Amino acid sequence: MRLEIINFRVNEDERGCLVAIEENKTIPFEIKRVYYIYNTNDKKRGFHAHRKTKQLMVCLNGSCSILLDDGYSRSEVTLDSPSKGLLIEQMVWHEMYNFSDRCILMVLASEPYDENDYIRNYCDFIYEINNSKNLNS
Ligand code: T46
């Protein structure tokens, strides 16, 4: 599947770097929620898809890998820079792993937290993908 990586504009001078992210401008959605993941002890996370929520992942420190699966194909990406973001559309299964020491993964989300938005079982995810394909054909 196609990876959507956004390379942010980095305002760099002798004092360091500054990156600004604006909703509906830098990224294609309104930001309703921000959360971040750290101290992972390199334990795998994710293993779900969202029915409605779009997200942007930014690795603020360290690095990690993300597997993306849209029900048809899979891709893997490594995030290792605070100057790039990975866009994850709704209905994309994702898994995060290979967390480096001191990795901080920030996520900007298009929706407030709602457990009903999660599909946490892979078979259910494929079922819903096939259902929406049949409805659209
Ligand atoms: C995602 C990946 C990238 C909240 O209370 N509010 C929140 O906004 C979030 C995101 C989580 N939680 C609670 C729910 C669980 O009790 O935090 C706990 C850990 O959440 P979860 O097991 O879903 O964490 P991950 O790392 O597997 O997944 C998270 C996000 O939940 C998910 O939306 O896309 O990061």
Side-chain angles (χ1 to χ4, degrees):
M1 60 169 292
R2 196 169 66 90
L3 292 175
E4 295 186 75
I5 304 280
I6 300 177
N7 291 300
F8 305 128
R9 189 161 74 88
V10 180
N11 297 279
E12 183 172 11
D13 58 31
E14 64 284 355
R15 299 167 299 167
C17 297
L18 185 153
V19 169
I21 300 174
E22 292 187 38
E23 59 185 9
N24 290 327
K25 197 170 165 189
T26 324
I27 59 172
F29 58 79
E30 272 178 36
I31 301 164
K32 299 268 177 62
R33 184 165 48 111
V34 178
Y35 61 92
Y36 42 91
I37 293 165
Y38 61 103
N39 278 357
T40 63
N41 292 318
D42 198 17
K43 295 281 189 330
K44 294 182 176 187
R45 305 187 65 110
F47 296 88
H48 57 248
H50 290 286
R51 295 190 171 91
K52 187 171 171 203
T53 305
K54 299 178 183 193
Q55 302 195 105
L56 181 91
M57 285 185 177
V58 184
C59 192
L60 296 179
N61 192 56
S63 62
C64 65
S65 300
I66 296 121
L67 175 103
L68 300 173
D69 178 337
D70 62 5
Y72 299 94
S73 62
R74 296 186 150 207
S75 289
E76 186 191 58
V77 63
T78 296
L79 287 180
D80 57 4
S81 165
S83 69
K84 65 182 177 183
L86 172 67
L87 195 61
I88 305 182
E89 296 286 350
Q90 63 270 63
M91 293 306 284
V92 173
W93 184 266
H94 48 280
E95 302 171 8
M96 300 94 78
Y97 47 93
N98 283 348
F99 290 97
S100 71
D101 192 28
R102 297 190 185 167
C103 175
I104 302 174
L105 183 64
M106 178 182 73
V107 184
L108 311 182
S110 68
E111 307 298 328
Y113 176 68
D114 177 7
E115 186 56 37
N116 293 321
D117 186 52
Y118 285 71
I119 308 172
R120 292 193 182 270
N121 178 291
Y122 188 76
C123 293
D124 294 345
F125 165 67
I126 295 298
Y127 179 80
E128 291 197 26
I129 289 279
N130 287 334
N131 253 359
S132 64
K133 187 178 75 180
N134 293 337
L135 285 176
N136 292 330
S137 63

